[in-house]
Amino acid sequence: SRDGALLATGGMDGIARVFSKEGGLLQTLVGHSQSIFSMRFSGDSAHLLTGSYDASTIVWDVNTGAPRQRFEVHKGQVLDVDWRDTSTFASSSSDAQIHVCSLGRATPVRSFLGHQDEVNAVKWDPAGKLLASGSDDATVKIWSLTNESAAPVYDLRDHTKEIYTIRWAPTGEGSANPGKRPVLASASFDATVRLWDPETGGCLHSLARHDKKVYTVAFSPCGSYLASGSLGGQLYVWSTKDGQVVRSFTSGGSDIFEVAWNRTGSKIACCGAMASNAVTIMDFRM
């Protein structure tokens, strides 16, 4: 959860579990019939949103463990979910569709249908005004909930292979760093990471030191640095200002599938298919 008080897990058994930060099991959430592939706490930690290979999303009441509402709006596996606010969320699927749904309503508030292949990731910007999506069709698209047109605001086509991960920097309107310009990052199987200007649709930097598929990126809390991890155990930390590498790390060939910063930006954790099944924590103090 955002405040660090709760941890949620989802497994191939279709069951989600909520734990306290001390490790105690608080809730066991049974409702999906296939693997849970994505989950997010709402900003107030009152609800947990889960997306499953059974093509459904469920909003759970964290306090009671009961399902608040089940949504069956996709025709394929749900690959990602993200809250816009405490009642509205976006979901993406292998059916190439994106739906925006709201608690209390059975049908989507809005649907975005521009991708030509699986949509691996959806993320709202810090202000909740723009929704970014990344797809196996090698495009990043930026959508507006208030735009009457069905077309994306920007259709970003500089990548050449599948896009697995996208992330907004914690900058701009609605963020902890409102004085810094908004930035969107995308990571691709073409071994590059790109930083985009969501106000113009232009590519700010192409980060091209990886030589294998990039699965994960994460911005530092201040928004000045971006960590990226790839197959082959390569982790780079980039300056978002000039696109230069400021730190690098190699995990001995073990693939990296996830990276994350601590709250102060002084440490980076990475995990993946490592022989030791370990999470590696690196000190990052400039």
Side-chain angles (χ1 to χ4, degrees):
S1 59
R2 185 175 296 179
D3 60 6
L6 301 172
L7 171 70
T9 63
M12 294 183 70
D13 58 3
I15 298 174
R17 294 173 174 86
V18 180
F19 299 86
S20 68
K21 63 181 179 181
E22 292 79 22
L25 178 62
L26 301 177
Q27 302 291 353
T28 300
L29 312 177
V30 181
H32 289 294
S33 61
Q34 295 185 42
S35 302
I36 295 173
F37 202 70
S38 55
M39 53 175 33
R40 295 286 187 278
F41 281 103
S42 58
D44 59 5
S45 303
H47 296 111
L48 179 68
L49 171 63
T50 54
S52 170
Y53 273 23
D54 66 11
S56 75
T57 55
I58 300 177
V59 176
W60 304 86
D61 186 307
V62 172
N63 290 324
T64 67
R68 175 79 182 274
Q69 187 171 347
R70 183 187 189 97
F71 298 84
E72 296 180 326
V73 297
H74 285 288
K75 300 175 183 177
Q77 301 162 338
V78 178
L79 302 179
D80 201 14
V81 292
D82 196 40
W83 289 97
R84 179 176 183 251
D85 50 39
T86 56
S87 63
T88 305
F89 67 89
S91 58
S92 66
S93 169
S94 60
D95 64 11
Q97 298 181 2
I98 300 165
H99 296 299
V100 180
C101 296
S102 186
L103 280 169
R105 178 169 170 164
T107 57
V109 176
R110 190 76 182 269
S111 296
F112 300 121
L113 311 177
H115 283 291
Q116 302 302 309
D117 208 333
E118 297 186 0
V119 184
N120 296 310
V122 282
K123 294 290 179 292
W124 293 100
D125 75 337
K129 293 182 177 180
L130 298 175
L131 180 69
S133 58
S135 168
D136 277 0
D137 66 11
T139 71
V140 176
K141 301 185 193 300
I142 298 177
W143 312 85
S144 171
L145 200 58
T146 59
N147 191 342
E148 294 184 0
S149 171
V153 179
Y154 293 111
D155 191 356
L156 312 175
R157 296 178 170 270
D158 290 5
H159 284 294
T160 59
K161 292 185 178 180
E162 299 96 319
I163 296 162
Y164 191 75
T165 303
I166 53 175
R167 288 289 187 275
W168 291 93
T171 55
E173 182 184 354
S175 76
N177 305 287
K180 296 183 178 180
R181 70 180 178 185
V183 177
L184 175 68
S186 58
S188 171
F189 287 2
D190 66 11
T192 70
V193 176
R194 290 183 180 269
L195 300 182
W196 307 92
D197 183 344
E199 296 179 340
T200 67
C203 182
L204 299 170
H205 301 291
S206 177
L207 313 180
R209 288 283 291 274
H210 291 280
D211 55 24
K212 295 184 178 180
K213 297 176 180 178
V214 184
Y215 269 91
T216 177
V217 291
F219 284 96
S220 63
C222 65
S224 296
Y225 303 101
L226 180 77
S228 60
S230 71
L231 299 186
Q234 298 174 324
L235 186 146
Y236 293 104
V237 181
W238 314 80
S239 165
T240 58
K241 182 179 180 180
D242 58 18
Q244 297 299 306
V245 172
V246 296
R247 293 283 177 84
S248 62
F249 169 82
T250 302
S251 66
S254 298
D255 301 333
I256 297 174
F257 292 116
E258 193 68 43
V259 294
W261 295 78
N262 67 344
R263 187 170 296 182
T264 63
S266 62
K267 292 181 174 62
I268 304 170
C270 68
C271 66
M274 299 184 180
S276 62
N277 294 320
V279 174
T280 301
I281 299 176
M282 290 158 287
D283 191 287
F284 183 82
R285 283 178 285 189
M286 298 298 288

